[in-house]
Amino acid sequence: MVKFFRYICCLLPVGRFQIFTLTMIDLVTNTISLNRGDSHDENRQGESFAPFAIVPNQYQKLFYIESYGCAMNFADSEVVASILNKEGFGATRNVEEADLIFINTCSIREKAELTVRKRLTEFRSLKKKKKGMLVGVLGCMAERLKSKFLEEEKLVDLVVGPDAYRSLPGLISEADGGQKGVNVLLSRDETYGDISPVRLNSNGVSAFVSIMRGCNNMCSFCVVPFTRGRERSRSAVSIIDECKDLFEKGYREVTLLGQNVDSYYYSEDKIQSTVDGQQSTAHTITFANLLESVALISPLLRVRFSTSHPKDITDDVLHTIVKYENICNYIHLPVQSGSTRILQLMNRTYTREWYMGKVDRIRQIIPDCGISADIITGFCTEDENDQLDTLAIMEYAKYDYAYMYFYSERPGTLAQRRYKDDVPEEIKKRRLHEVVQMQNKLSLESNLRDMGKTFKILIEGDSKKSDQDWVGRSSHGKVFVFPKENYNLNKGDYVMVKANDCTQGTLLGSIVNSPQTTDHSN
Ligand code: SF4
């Protein structure tokens, strides 16, 4: 009865390239998501790097990196690959031929950590066989456990936190000399802004671009502020340059990533010529400004972003979405609970009514906006009335998708220190099941409302089931599958598709115009 579906990051939904409908609840990871490949993309958990295009023989050593968790972690693996590549290491997908094995970990749920422990056990025999092989643990679990990791897992040589990847080459050479290394220093300014990530198993159409790191919110259930540190924004120039570069390389969609993108804020000095010479003035860039700058790169480049904290998303952002056709009409707006009492315990800093007002505002400014949410059931002290409030707010918001899970206490969080995890697991699961049922209904209703309508779809590649069909996505984030017919289209092209049929997770359609008449413009 238990099927692993996908794993959710607290609030960083952005994985992709999968189509599924919900059939079962994952009772192991306490997680459910519906309809689209966001948040912790289950298809990508444990994904390893594809080798670089350059001839691998030129590399002295090969690294293998396996990634878990949210989109931010996968983006970080791309940064790590870039750092290692500069030092002359090549990537391999074959763990047996690797000289360095890295596992980029997630700490958000206990199950995620158990998966990493199990993988480490599997690496033990490889390490015995290959003299000099190093094993490194990266990411949130490294940050949470620090040097304790070296004590607990004897085969581990390196423990490196999310802000310390620049120190990897030095730590590797020390470990080559027999000295195990730990660097879990969190930084107030590291953004890896100057590092051009090596794209990890990309479809060549869509890419993640990290715009900020860390989080200053202290949601009581969340481990992120402790594992990823204080919030800091990356230089706007480096973000825009990275997006331009992606566009020039043929990418047609970027997702701007951060734990809380709406609080993006970057101040840079501008040098101006004056009568007396030159003068430096501070120029501040908000998230709305950044969105606009990225949208202006080309109308052919779609822009998405994730994640928005309901308290931080502004009217400026909403109006910017409306102003540019290529900024997708889709907002991930985690609610977590529909009960004001529980929201207060979660330290979410908004009430049920306030959240509903935010949904109203989005619908008022962007009438056809797709909205999704994260929902936790069974948080400390939650009762049946709180659960009814959650179900009711889902109906009110009419979410197109949701990432749902039952509460799992994490060491070191505010909730662990302040509250008792007092809702029995079977009740958490039953409530999760109710929430899932509600979302199934809402997702299907949402898709049924789209029947007969025509959407501009960005083609992402062949459908999983048939190379005679394309899979692509609409602006509001829905997955479309449609026959290629005789059109001479390629992935990365836009095409108008009419929705004819649907499941809960996918719209089935047909092309309504030829590529020659495809609207590539605003
Ligand atoms: Fe998201 Fe809150 Fe965690 Fe920050 S503290 S990452 S806003 S859940």
Side-chain angles (χ1 to χ4, degrees), residues 258-412:
Q259 247 83 28
N260 188 12
V261 289
D262 297 287
S263 66
Y264 177 89
Y265 186 86
Y266 192 77
S267 181
E268 59 194 5
D269 284 343
K270 273 210 160 170
I271 309 290
Q272 285 176 326
S273 296
T274 63
V275 245
D276 305 329
Q278 289 193 322
Q279 189 183 311
S280 160
T281 51
H283 173 64
T284 54
I285 298 160
T286 64
F287 182 58
N289 303 145
L290 181 72
L291 258 187
E292 179 162 40
S293 302
V294 176
L296 284 170
I297 290 172
S298 167
L300 290 181
L301 182 68
R302 270 192 176 170
V303 189
R304 297 189 186 275
F305 58 89
S306 190
T307 288
S308 292
H309 193 298
K311 77 175 165 54
D312 290 320
I313 190 163
T314 61
D315 275 9
D316 272 357
V317 168
L318 302 182
H319 287 299
T320 307
I321 294 173
V322 172
K323 189 170 167 193
Y324 295 95
E325 188 266 354
N326 56 329
I327 304 180
C328 292
N329 288 355
Y330 168 67
I331 296 172
H332 183 64
L333 197 71
V335 63
Q336 308 300 3
S337 169
S339 154
T340 295
R341 188 181 72 82
I342 295 295
L343 287 169
Q344 278 170 353
L345 292 179
M346 289 176 163
N347 199 27
R348 289 291 290 174
T349 69
Y350 52 83
T351 62
R352 162 190 183 77
E353 290 72 26
W354 196 93
Y355 182 94
M356 289 158 80
K358 188 58 81 175
V359 170
D360 292 345
R361 191 71 181 142
I362 292 171
R363 301 253 184 249
Q364 190 185 348
I365 297 175
I366 319 168
D368 62 339
C369 193
I371 302 182
S372 61
D374 296 338
I375 299 166
I376 299 172
T377 65
F379 189 69
C380 313
T381 78
E382 186 190 75
D383 63 22
E384 296 304 326
N385 285 332
D386 299 316
Q387 166 76 353
L388 290 176
D389 280 348
T390 297
L391 294 170
I393 210 166
M394 291 175 75
E395 281 213 281
Y396 185 86
K398 293 189 171 56
Y399 297 125
D400 298 282
Y401 328 102
Y403 311 102
M404 299 157 279
Y405 53 110
F406 66 74
Y407 176 59
S408 147
E409 185 180 84
R410 302 305 297 133

Side-chain angles (χ1 to χ4, degrees), residues 25-41:
I25 298 177
D26 175 358
L27 298 181
V28 176
T29 63
N30 61 351
T31 308
I32 281 294
S33 62
L34 289 176
N35 300 331
R36 55 172 287 164
D38 275 346
S39 203
H40 282 214
D41 183 338

Side-chain angles (χ1 to χ4, degrees), residues 480-493:
F480 277 69
V481 172
F482 49 97
K484 293 180 176 177
E485 300 179 46
N486 293 323
Y487 296 112
N488 183 24
L489 290 163
N490 292 299
K491 67 178 185 176
D493 283 343

Side-chain angles (χ1 to χ4, degrees), residues 10-11 215-219 221-225 259-260 309 336 348:
C10 51
L11 301 174
C215 184
N216 286 353
N217 295 317
M218 291 297 276
C219 300
F221 53 83
C222 184
V223 77
V224 167
Q259 247 83 28
N260 188 12
H309 193 298
Q336 308 300 3
R348 289 291 290 174

